[in-house]
Amino acid sequence: MAAVRVEEVLAAAEEQEAEKRRSVTVEKELELEFDLGNLLALDRNPPAAVELRGAGPRREALLRALARDNTQLLVARLWELPAERAGGAGGPLVARLPEPAFRLPREKPPPRPRPPTRWEQFARLKGIRRRKRTSLVWDEQAKEWRRRWGYRRAGGDPARAWLAEVPEGADPEEDQFARLRREKRERVARNELNRLRNLARAHRAGTAVPAAPLHPTGHQSREELGHVARVARVSTASLGRFQPRLPKEPVEPPSRSGGRKRRFEPLLGNLAAERSRQLELLRDMSSKKPVLDITRAVNKQLRQEEAEAAAAKGKKQSQRGKRGRRQQGAGGVSGGLGGPVPPSFAGTDR
Amino acid sequence: MRPLTEAETRAVFEKLGRYIGENIQLLVDRPDGTYCFRLHCDRVYYLSEKLLKVAASVPRDNLVSPGTCFGKFTKTQKFRLSVTALDFLAPYAKYKVWVKPGSEQSFLYGNHVLKSGLGRITENTAQYQGVVVYSMADVPLGFGVAAKSTQECRKVDPMAIVVFHQADVGEYVRNEDTLT
């Protein structure tokens, strides 16, 4: 009786051990794809379709088990990251996540660029460019580098000067320091007013809805933008047929179908028309040929020179009474190339 | 079977023009009847109107070869001439190469023409010009592309390639099953 009990206990313990191991080790046919920066795991394994069909407790349980297993794998991966104790030996264990690789769409669309202010518009109209100026300038009196503007600026703050010049024609009794202060105040107030005006204009302009829906991923690639532009182009009632092109938009080749069904000429159509079309095509093709072919012209010149040299040599030979050499092949054909080099070519080595 | 589209016609004429130049007109506009080009199974056939009408009554699957096959379009829509077009290239060829009897066999086995096997060549043949290859008895053997211009041919050594092989009548034996 006691022996049976021991076996039972052992079996139960083994089962418990196996259960514990099962909860930690997960077997997957396909490895999961991890993106630890986003705490993301992608399971490409096909789920058991039969089990998932229809609502019920079995399906629920299966989904729960699947989620648990995958979470287990993800957490196991997280534990593999190098970790350290934050704030001494007793602190919490902290691991640094790698850079996220998966491009998640933004929750909100990226902020629109601020519309140009009145001054920027004016500057653009007039072609005024911002000049880069150094922020530090050499102050002769202080013998050191000082800021161009603001607190402790080079040359001293004119508002804090101990001496103010009375301009010509001004009232000698007027307080010049007070005038400078007042003018400065006015300038600041005007600048603030302009700033608020620009803000109001930007707010009004910002209410327009963007034309094409772009995924709010922050940075769009060139291909994405081009694709969206193409889609927007053909999204008209005429499939973009009458859509004017933008100034620098490239002319894209028409799609193979061109929006129409592919259609060929009839097999036994108008053969005379077909012939005249082909003749027209031939005329068109021959007219596109270059007038002067350099290689051919050079070859022609070379050939002429060789022929002249050969003729001169042949004449000399016949004058000396040697045997007459064979004439050059008639009908534009040169002969005897394979054999030993004919005497006419011996001296024309260039 | 269908007529060629404009782009296909252009591709065919451009390739034919390398061998026979403007003599394509003589193929298109023939005094002895109406001839046309038709596409069937990616192959281009040249056939008379009479034959076309007969061939039109044959189901597509059963039709093997209407007329003379000039070549075929590759999957990338390039046109390749086949040796069956030789009968129409040879009479109109502008640039010709004659092969010596000793190297005829080598050419007919699909090899390039070497300088040592070159019998004659048309004057002012440019480099890479399409040429028709003849035996010394003026029997057309095939066609190819001149690897050297006529001027250069005189100076190269005997083992240099003069004409690149493209097609020869030996293919009638070698590729009997695919030639249509």
Side-chain angles (χ1 to χ4, degrees):
Chain A
M1 208 60 180
V4 174
R5 224 173 261 157
V6 166
E7 273 173 8
E8 270 176 7
V9 167
L10 277 178
E14 202 167 284
E15 216 167 77
Q16 217 171 350
E17 190 72 17
E19 177 67 24
K20 205 181 281 174
R21 224 182 298 127
R22 194 202 69 80
S23 69
V24 180
T25 56
V26 180
E27 294 292 326
K28 284 277 177 184
E29 211 159 286
L30 287 175
E31 279 277 304
L32 264 61
E33 291 167 27
F34 292 100
D35 178 15
L36 294 181
N38 283 323
L39 292 179
L40 175 78
L42 282 177
D43 188 1
R44 304 262 184 204
N45 292 295
V50 184
E51 308 282 327
L52 288 176
R53 198 167 295 146
R58 276 186 68 199
R59 177 178 174 221
E60 203 60 30
L62 192 81
L63 285 176
R64 272 175 189 283
L66 191 65
R68 194 215 72 84
D69 286 355
N70 287 344
T71 316
Q72 173 65 52
L73 285 171
L74 180 63
V75 172
R77 273 300 176 96
L78 285 179
W79 277 105
E80 285 172 16
L81 289 175
E84 57 184 16
R85 296 263 171 207
L93 202 59
V94 175
R96 183 171 292 279
L97 295 180
E99 280 292 306
F102 200 81
R103 274 182 73 197
L104 290 170
R106 280 171 66 120
E107 183 192 9
K108 296 250 165 57
R112 281 193 205 89
R114 177 180 56 77
T117 61
R118 269 302 275 273
W119 161 250
E120 280 168 354
Q121 280 176 356
F122 177 76
R124 191 154 172 223
L125 193 70
K126 292 285 180 188
I128 302 169
R129 294 248 192 92
R130 275 198 66 174
R131 251 183 314 148
K132 266 270 193 221
R133 295 207 295 180
T134 53
S135 61
L136 290 182
V137 287
W138 180 252
D139 191 342
E140 272 301 326
Q141 274 143 22
K143 300 286 180 217
E144 62 175 355
W145 291 95
R146 290 219 168 154
R147 278 184 216 98
R148 193 184 290 277
W149 287 99
Y151 179 63
R152 282 171 67 80
R153 66 197 269 185
D157 191 347
R160 285 170 177 265
W162 59 275
L163 180 72
E165 218 173 298
V166 179
E168 207 167 311
D171 181 11
E173 296 302 313
E174 191 193 4
D175 185 358
Q176 292 301 322
F177 294 104
R179 185 182 65 84
L180 284 176
R181 272 199 300 278
R182 192 183 64 242
E183 282 180 354
K184 167 97 183 186
R185 245 192 333 268
E186 279 169 9
R187 279 203 304 274
V188 168
R190 198 170 62 237
N191 200 6
E192 178 68 11
L193 181 68
N194 283 341
R195 191 180 73 83
L196 291 175
R197 270 189 188 158
N198 278 328
L199 270 181
R201 276 186 331 108
H203 186 69
R204 275 202 303 277
T207 50
V209 183
L214 277 169
H215 290 298
T217 46
H219 173 76
Q220 269 80 29
S221 67
R222 198 184 162 85
E223 287 80 44
E224 270 178 334
L225 290 174
H227 176 68
V228 171
R230 259 198 308 284
V231 168
R233 253 188 72 77
V234 297
S235 301
T236 64
S238 63
L239 296 178
R241 239 174 126 183
F242 304 106
Q243 202 67 14
R245 291 206 170 272
L246 295 174
K248 283 181 181 171
E249 196 179 355
V251 180
E252 62 198 51
S255 65
R256 191 172 276 183
S257 61
R260 268 169 288 118
K261 215 172 163 201
R262 190 176 67 154
R263 193 174 291 166
F264 298 116
E265 296 287 311
L267 175 61
L268 282 166
N270 190 352
L271 286 175
E274 186 184 327
R275 190 177 58 201
S276 62
R277 237 190 348 262
Q278 288 178 346
L279 288 175
E280 181 65 33
L281 179 68
L282 278 175
R283 254 198 300 284
D284 180 48
M285 281 166 66
S286 61
S287 69
K288 292 240 173 71
K289 271 185 193 147
V291 182
L292 178 69
D293 189 345
I294 298 284
T295 354
R296 274 193 72 184
V298 168
N299 279 344
K300 202 170 176 183
Q301 177 69 23
L302 280 177
R303 197 171 57 251
Q304 206 171 347
E305 284 173 11
E306 277 175 8
E308 275 168 16
K313 199 147 196 177
K315 207 185 280 173
K316 219 189 282 173
Q317 278 183 347
S318 62
Q319 277 172 352
R320 273 188 282 166
K322 293 261 171 79
R323 64 179 171 85
R325 53 182 289 280
R326 193 155 50 102
Q327 286 293 313
Q328 280 284 316
V333 169
S334 70
L337 274 177
V341 180
S344 58
F345 299 134
T348 57
D349 205 357
R350 266 180 281 257
Chain B
M1 196 160 53
R2 64 170 173 83
L4 307 184
T5 63
E6 163 130 23
E8 285 163 349
T9 313
R10 192 175 280 270
V12 172
F13 283 179
E14 268 173 11
K15 188 54 76 77
L16 278 178
R18 293 189 195 174
Y19 300 90
I20 60 177
E22 59 269 22
N23 289 343
I24 309 173
Q25 276 189 11
L26 303 177
L27 288 179
V28 174
D29 195 8
R30 277 171 69 143
D32 58 337
T34 311
Y35 278 71
C36 58
F37 292 94
R38 285 290 179 271
L39 190 86
H40 175 64
C41 295
D42 271 348
R43 276 160 217 276
V44 176
Y45 294 93
Y46 181 67
L47 66 167
S48 67
E49 185 188 6
K50 196 174 145 206
L51 190 56
L52 175 67
K53 282 181 176 156
V54 175
S57 63
V58 180
R60 186 185 302 168
D61 291 342
N62 299 351
L63 188 61
V64 175
S65 170
T68 310
C69 178
F70 261 40
K72 68 174 183 181
F73 276 101
T74 61
K75 306 265 185 203
T76 50
Q77 293 299 303
K78 292 187 186 71
F79 182 66
R80 298 263 163 83
L81 275 176
S82 70
V83 70
T84 40
L86 184 64
D87 291 342
F88 291 92
L89 294 185
Y92 304 116
K94 302 190 81 180
Y95 295 92
K96 305 180 184 182
V97 163
W98 286 264
V99 176
K100 284 185 189 168
S103 60
E104 256 175 41
Q105 194 183 32
S106 167
F107 179 71
L108 292 183
Y109 279 8
N111 297 320
H112 302 307
V113 178
L114 303 182
K115 164 73 187 297
S116 58
L118 184 68
R120 295 197 295 175
I121 184 169
T122 312
E123 287 273 8
N124 71 27
T125 306
Q127 200 179 16
Y128 307 134
Q129 165 72 47
V131 292
V132 176
V133 179
Y134 290 81
S135 71
M136 287 313 269
D138 270 345
V139 178
L141 297 179
F143 51 89
V145 165
K148 301 267 193 297
S149 66
T150 309
Q151 260 71 33
E152 287 171 306
C153 279
R154 296 182 170 148
K155 288 160 193 147
V156 293
D157 63 311
M159 289 315 284
I161 294 172
V162 170
V163 176
F164 292 124
H165 168 273
Q166 277 185 335
D168 64 81
V169 288
E171 282 173 33
Y172 281 114
V173 179
R174 296 203 302 276
N175 306 337
E176 193 182 351
D177 47 347
T178 53
L179 280 181
T180 50

